[in-house]
Amino acid sequence: MEKTVKSPFIIGGIATLIACLLCCFTASFMLYKDLSVNSYVQTEAIVVDHEYITSSDEGMFYDVIQFTVDGKTYTKVALNNRAYYREPLNIGETIVVYYNPDNPDDVIFKSSSHVVMIVVCYLVAAGCAVGSAFLFIKLFKILKKEREYNSRLNLWVKDENDL
């Protein structure tokens, strides 16, 4: 009976802590990428085409953009440009992109959705931390009651043996 009472709390607490760490890691990585934009150069890119890319059973249209750096034109497929959340942009439409000045092929499509995702990840991590704290508090209360019960039981057995 001991194991069945304690095991769910231990497993739940460990799983919640792992979820908390994963959320913190994800949010930290997204924050790092978001902050790395500060060292990138902002420029305007033009949507020149759309590319249909399939993965498993589904396909998605992605914007193909062009931008110029020091007289050289770069063409990129906007794989990380919120494609899951919206329709493709119109051809000829201008968008803001950020490129690495040391490597213009390294492009970031910054959007407000990154900020929202970072906040959500940290909130989920905080919720997981609070949840695991409650689980461990409950486990310690169970262990304390069990210890008190065992000490009373030992006193009772000792009294019985003295008779």
Side-chain angles (χ1 to χ4, degrees), residues 6-20:
K6 296 177 198 170
S7 295
F9 290 106
I10 293 172
I11 293 169
I14 291 171
T16 307
L17 284 175
I18 290 171
C20 176

Side-chain angles (χ1 to χ4, degrees), residues 97-111:
V97 296
Y98 299 84
Y99 68 90
N100 183 342
D102 299 327
N103 178 14
D105 278 323
D106 182 12
V107 179
I108 294 177
F109 303 89
K110 187 176 178 185
S111 69

Side-chain angles (χ1 to χ4, degrees), residues 152-163:
R152 279 191 228 138
L153 184 63
N154 287 339
L155 287 175
W156 182 75
V157 169
K158 185 178 179 186
D159 288 343
E160 286 289 318
N161 289 336
D162 289 340
L163 294 175

Side-chain angles (χ1 to χ4, degrees), residues 30 46 56 136 156 158:
M30 290 174 69
I46 299 172
S56 61
F136 284 117
W156 182 75
K158 185 178 179 186

Side-chain angles (χ1 to χ4, degrees), residues 80-104:
N80 60 346
N81 190 22
R82 305 181 316 268
Y84 293 107
Y85 307 111
R86 61 158 181 80
E87 294 295 316
L89 297 171
N90 295 324
I91 292 177
E93 196 168 335
T94 303
I95 64 169
V96 174
V97 296
Y98 299 84
Y99 68 90
N100 183 342
D102 299 327
N103 178 14

Side-chain angles (χ1 to χ4, degrees), residues 63-90:
D63 302 319
V64 178
I65 57 134
Q66 278 187 347
F67 61 98
T68 304
V69 176
D70 296 330
K72 183 176 178 186
T73 302
Y74 294 87
T75 303
K76 301 291 288 180
V77 177
L79 294 176
N80 60 346
N81 190 22
R82 305 181 316 268
Y84 293 107
Y85 307 111
R86 61 158 181 80
E87 294 295 316
L89 297 171
N90 295 324

